[in-house]
Amino acid sequence: MLRVDPRLRGRLIDIIHNLNDRVAEAKTNGWLGDVEGLQISLDAAKTKLRGLDRASTTERPALKNLGIPVIRQS
């Protein structure tokens, strides 16, 4: 799964809105195969949005300085 740039969250929301409209249109016209395919894409987009929101709300672990290893002469 590709990571979404947090700056493009608005674009992802636009994509979800567009997919909702396309699913509704496909249902209205009876395009059942298209409904299924669009629903899969819609679910994936929503999952990415939830992941993006989760990543932005959870704290990232602090980096720990492990120091430079010492090589001992034998």
Side-chain angles (χ1 to χ4, degrees):
M1 179 183 243
L2 296 175
R3 292 185 184 177
V4 178
D5 186 345
R7 296 175 294 181
L8 298 177
R9 185 179 188 281
R11 176 72 178 124
L12 186 55
I13 291 172
D14 290 342
I15 290 170
I16 291 171
H17 289 307
N18 181 271
L19 284 168
N20 278 322
D21 293 342
R22 291 174 61 194
V23 167
E25 178 186 10
K27 284 181 181 178
T28 301
N29 291 320
W31 303 331
L32 300 180
D34 289 340
V35 170
E36 185 178 354
L38 290 167
Q39 192 62 50
I40 290 169
S41 296
L42 179 60
D43 292 342
K46 287 180 178 180
T47 300
K48 282 189 178 190
L49 182 61
R50 281 193 302 271
L52 182 63
D53 290 343
R54 190 176 328 112
S56 66
T57 59
T58 58
E59 263 188 52
R60 294 186 181 194
L63 296 177
K64 179 70 177 169
N65 184 0
L66 300 177
I68 298 174
V70 177
I71 300 174
R72 297 188 175 127
Q73 302 289 331
S74 36

